[in-house]
């Protein structure tokens, strides 16, 4: 795998970001959360005052592929509609399936590749380059990229020093959302440490509500759980080594993280529906069941990124009042900060495709989706005021303030066969671990076997 050079950061800076986020979210929780108070980040986020010039593309047709569904897809289509309005091009959204590399492979084999694809893993970008599918970003896209992104976000989109990916969407994957009423009824407090989290979980359990909702049908949610525990407990250097498979999954640090996870996953009645129920619960349902059911929701807490707000929006719960959030608690000495993201990559080089990549690298595009909620941009020139509520503004501000000081999702850095394929590799191995959390050694052995095969090394 490509080295994680863009995200090799200092321990202290990651801690600072976690502290900033914790403080800001605490203030948000106190202030109610859905105020229309404007941030002080420049414009109100509209296209007015835009310096972006796009070419006239009347008659041009583009296809854009992404794995997004539901509200997320609908919101992105509004961004594409703005591009159409400004350029005269016609853009069609092509729904893709995970793993997107396999989906694109079949499209390319059939002679019908989309013009642009949104790739959710740096590993997928590297594979697209190695296969000769991805085209380097043109001069206009590079100009926007350099103007609007920190070096770390630019670097994650590079392969062998050349820019291929525009990180249009980011995620803060170190958040736990909770049902405020369930916490209040239980007398539970927002935890700062892993031990505090277990204490809060027990209080919730004693009040008659299951503590955690886990979307185990989607293996990626389980890799995210693992990464937060591992980063906080083992530290950033070990995290980078495991991400690049420079240490084995049989390492004692992995044993420690899995053993810690089992304190929740292996505790009878702590997971909604038990392990079997969790393994049949897809991510969207894991969120909505936490914020429906009045005083008897199916669970009080659900772990996942800022994008969970899209799913909370499908319930009557209001972010900031009914649905609150706290940073993933510190398991080791420092709280973790794990990021993810989706990068636009050009597959069919044309004036129109490059223009779309340029648009997606601009604050103009990101601002449209920011206003619609459930979205986070790593573009530092998107105004804070573009985000629709105080919780979202806080998360965005913390991400931008972190600059390059974050760790990118570990499974997303892995070859897709290991870190991004339903029913295989890390996704499957952690689903099996959720089913049988006592088998730490067996899980480690299987993870190592699958990783060695995917990375092409046994080291």
């Amino acid at each position: 795998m490509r080295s994680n050079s863009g995200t090799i950061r200092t321990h202290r800076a990651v801690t600072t970001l976690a502290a900033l986020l914790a403080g800001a979210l605490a203030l948000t929780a106190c202030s109610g959360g859905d105020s229309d108070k404007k941030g002080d980040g420049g414009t109100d986020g509209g296209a007015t005052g835009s310096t972006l010039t796009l070419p006239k593309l009347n008659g041009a047709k583009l296809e854009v592929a992404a794995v997004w569904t539901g509200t997320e897809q609908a919101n992105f289509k509004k961004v594409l509609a703005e591009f159409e309005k400004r350029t005269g091009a016609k853009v069609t959204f092509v729904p893709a399936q995970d793993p997107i590399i396999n989906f694109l492979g079949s499209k390319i084999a059939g002679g019908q590749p989309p013009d642009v694809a949104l790739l959710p893993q740096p590993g997928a970008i590297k594979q697209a380059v190695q296969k000769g599918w991805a085209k380097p970003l043109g001069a206009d896209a590079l100009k926007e990229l350099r103007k609007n992104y920190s070096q770390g976000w630019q670097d994650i989109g590079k392969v062998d020093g050349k820019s291929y990916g525009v990180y249009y969407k980011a995620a803060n994957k170190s958040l736990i959302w909770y049902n405020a009423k369930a916490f209040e009824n239980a007398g539970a407090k927002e935890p700062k440490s892993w031990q505090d989290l277990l204490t809060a979980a027990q209080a919730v359990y004693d009040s008659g509500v299951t503590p955690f909702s886990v979307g185990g049908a989607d293996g990626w949610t389980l890799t995210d759980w693992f990464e937060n525990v591992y980063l906080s407990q083992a530290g950033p250097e070990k995290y980078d080594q495991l991400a690049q498979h420079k240490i084995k999954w049989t390492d004692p640090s992995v044993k420690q993280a899995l053993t810690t996870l089992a304190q929740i996953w292996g505790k009878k009645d702590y997971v909604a529906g038990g392990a079997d129920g969790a393994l049949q619960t897809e991510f969207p349902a894991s969120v909505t069941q936490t914020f429906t059911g009045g005083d008897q929701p199916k669970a009080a807490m659900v772990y996942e990124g800022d994008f969970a707000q899209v799913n909370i929006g499908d319930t009557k719960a209001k972010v900031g009042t009914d649905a609150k959030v706290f940073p993933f608690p510190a398991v080791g000495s420092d709280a973790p900060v794990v990021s993810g993201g989706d990068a636009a990559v050009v597959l069919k080089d044309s004036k129109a495709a490059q223009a779309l990549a340029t648009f997606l690298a601009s604050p103009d595009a990101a601002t449209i989706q920011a206003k619609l909620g459930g979205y986070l941009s790593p573009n530092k020139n998107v105004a804070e005021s573009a985000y629709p509520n105080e919780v979202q503004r806080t998360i965005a501000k913390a991400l931008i303030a972190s600059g390059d000081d974050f760790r990118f999702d570990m499974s997303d850095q892995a070859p897709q066969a290991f870190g991004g394929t339903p029913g295989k590799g890390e996704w499957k191995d952690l689903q099996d671990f959720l089913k049988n959390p006592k088998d730490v050694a067996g899980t480690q052995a299987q993870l190592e076997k699958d990783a060695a095969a995917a990375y092409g090394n046994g080291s």
Side-chain angles (χ1 to χ4, degrees), residues 354-370:
Q354 289 288 352
L356 181 59
T358 303
F359 181 59
L360 293 177
S362 76
D364 296 21
T367 294
I368 295 165
Q369 197 154 347

Side-chain angles (χ1 to χ4, degrees), residues 94-215:
V94 178
Q97 288 85 43
D98 263 325
I100 195 166
I101 281 291
N102 295 6
F103 172 83
L104 294 175
S106 63
K107 292 293 246 180
I108 288 163
Q112 293 181 309
D115 298 87
V116 175
L118 276 295
L119 302 184
Q121 295 100 0
I125 298 174
K126 184 173 185 194
Q127 282 178 274
V129 172
Q130 287 172 337
K131 290 173 185 289
W133 301 347
K135 310 295 185 248
L137 294 173
D140 290 343
L142 284 172
K143 184 179 162 193
E144 283 299 308
L145 197 62
R146 288 166 185 155
K147 189 166 69 176
N148 299 318
Y149 290 81
S150 75
Q151 194 61 49
W153 284 102
Q154 290 181 49
D155 288 349
I156 302 167
K158 288 180 181 176
V159 178
D160 298 329
K162 196 172 278 191
S163 294
Y164 290 90
V166 168
Y167 271 88
Y168 170 71
K169 183 176 186 289
N172 179 328
K173 291 191 164 189
S174 298
L175 302 171
I176 294 179
W177 299 87
Y178 70 96
N179 184 312
K181 179 59 84 175
F183 257 50
E184 190 185 316
N185 291 344
K189 295 187 174 70
E190 289 192 2
K192 298 281 191 296
S193 68
W194 184 259
Q195 190 52 55
D196 290 347
L197 181 64
L198 298 178
T199 302
Q202 187 62 45
V204 166
Y205 175 76
D206 290 342
S207 77
V209 175
T210 303
F212 296 96
S213 177
V214 177

Side-chain angles (χ1 to χ4, degrees), residues 43 46-54 86 144 147 359 362-365:
T43 71
T48 50
S50 170
T51 56
L52 183 68
T53 306
L54 293 170
R86 293 201 199 181
E144 283 299 308
K147 189 166 69 176
F359 181 59
S362 76
D364 296 21

